[in-house]
Amino acid sequence: MKLLIVEDNFQLADDLSKFLAENGFLVEIADSLHTAFEKISVYNYDLIILDLGLPDGSGLDVIRKLKKINKDPGILIVTAKNAVEDKVTGLELGADDFITKPFHKAELNARVRSIIRRKRLMGNSILQINNIKINTDSREAFVDNNMVELTRKEYDLLLYFMYNKGRVLTKENIAEHLWGDHIDQADNFDFIYNHIKNLRKKLQSFGAGNNIRSVYGMGYKFYEL
Ligand code: CA
């Protein structure tokens, strides 16, 4: 899962980003409204952690912008203690939840997970398609209830495929989602093929069907069989 932290306090952003990365997220940072606008226009995120007090404007404009460009990531607003109005406006605009500074990182992590469960995983921490199952809390994958040892990238890839079931994912989509925004400057995306090949091989060696298929000239798709 890919997150964007919009936060102008470098120390806090860096600290949160390291913590969330340890918890299995891919994390990008925007330190101003301007940068946040640029990033959300070009890239996709599963969830945005949004500080409202930014040097060049209000984080609320990020929510307005997302609506305008028809993107619907989860949004967790970070507010100062007495900013009740901001909270209300943010929730009215479509934010999923808020957290008040100062907060414990464990609480932030719990809220992030809960929003992602609601928005991406239909309320479950278990995702199952055919005989392939993922437990997003323990970050484990199973075929017919046998655990399949996956690398971190293979797990992230499988999760990304499964919650985008039936949708074509381009190599660019996959690269950006698993390796981060900077990867769009890569010369080619052939390395993705190897990860997909290994993932398929592992799943099929445990008895999974041919769920992950390439779509000629476009990318890959996870099929429910
Ligand atoms: Ca701030």
Side-chain angles (χ1 to χ4, degrees):
M1 293 284 175
K2 190 177 171 203
L3 313 182
L4 175 66
I5 299 177
V6 182
E7 171 63 69
D8 59 310
N9 178 331
F10 172 78
Q11 196 55 52
L12 179 60
D14 189 53
D15 193 32
L16 289 182
S17 143
K18 283 180 183 140
F19 173 76
L20 290 163
E22 281 163 19
N23 281 277
F25 295 102
L26 183 77
V27 187
E28 299 286 341
I29 297 175
D31 62 359
S32 66
L33 195 56
H34 176 76
T35 314
F37 275 12
E38 274 185 355
K39 282 197 170 282
I40 58 173
S41 304
V42 179
Y43 305 112
N44 294 302
Y45 304 94
D46 296 300
L47 182 137
I48 299 179
I49 298 171
L50 184 60
D51 177 35
L52 296 187
L54 297 167
D56 50 347
S58 166
L60 292 172
D61 286 341
V62 171
I63 310 180
R64 296 189 178 101
K65 174 85 173 176
L66 285 164
K67 259 196 193 151
K68 217 175 276 175
I69 58 178
N70 280 319
K71 290 190 176 178
D72 185 32
I75 298 170
L76 175 63
I77 288 182
V78 179
T79 59
K81 235 180 200 161
N82 301 310
V84 181
E85 267 176 53
D86 280 350
K87 264 181 224 170
V88 172
T89 311
L91 293 172
E92 278 173 1
L93 285 172
D96 296 283
D97 200 357
F98 62 86
I99 190 166
T100 306
K101 282 182 189 175
F103 51 80
H104 286 285
K105 281 184 278 186
E107 187 187 350
L108 178 90
N109 187 35
R111 285 174 190 253
V112 164
R113 284 185 186 281
S114 138
I115 295 173
I116 286 179
R117 261 202 309 276
R118 273 204 314 270
K119 289 205 80 127
R120 290 282 185 264
L121 310 170
M122 286 163 295
N124 288 313
S125 48
I126 306 284
L127 198 61
Q128 174 151 16
I129 300 172
N130 301 129
N131 58 354
I132 303 173
K133 190 165 74 181
I134 274 187
N135 181 329
T136 60
D137 290 331
S138 61
R139 295 177 58 82
E140 290 169 332
F142 304 84
V143 174
D144 288 327
N145 293 319
N146 296 310
M147 192 166 94
V148 185
E149 293 274 356
L150 299 178
T151 64
R152 178 170 172 166
K153 286 294 182 221
E154 287 162 1
Y155 171 86
D156 287 339
L157 192 54
L158 180 61
L159 176 61
Y160 187 48
F161 270 127
M162 285 177 75
Y163 77 78
N164 283 294
K165 177 186 80 173
R167 213 180 287 168
V168 175
L169 300 173
T170 64
K171 285 182 190 169
E172 289 84 351
N173 291 150
I174 296 168
E176 181 208 306
H177 193 86
L178 269 76
W179 279 268
D181 294 348
H182 63 278
I183 201 78
D184 61 358
Q185 283 136 32
D187 293 334
N188 73 68
F189 297 106
D190 290 350
F191 61 97
I192 289 170
Y193 173 74
N194 286 314
H195 287 273
I196 293 178
K197 193 178 70 179
N198 292 336
L199 173 62
R200 267 186 189 145
K201 209 190 281 171
K202 284 187 186 175
L203 293 173
Q204 292 185 359
S205 75
F206 278 82
N210 186 19
N211 296 79
I212 302 169
R213 295 184 214 164
S214 60
V215 179
Y216 185 74
M218 292 178 72
Y220 295 90
K221 198 195 273 195
F222 190 101
Y223 289 85
E224 182 159 16
L225 305 176

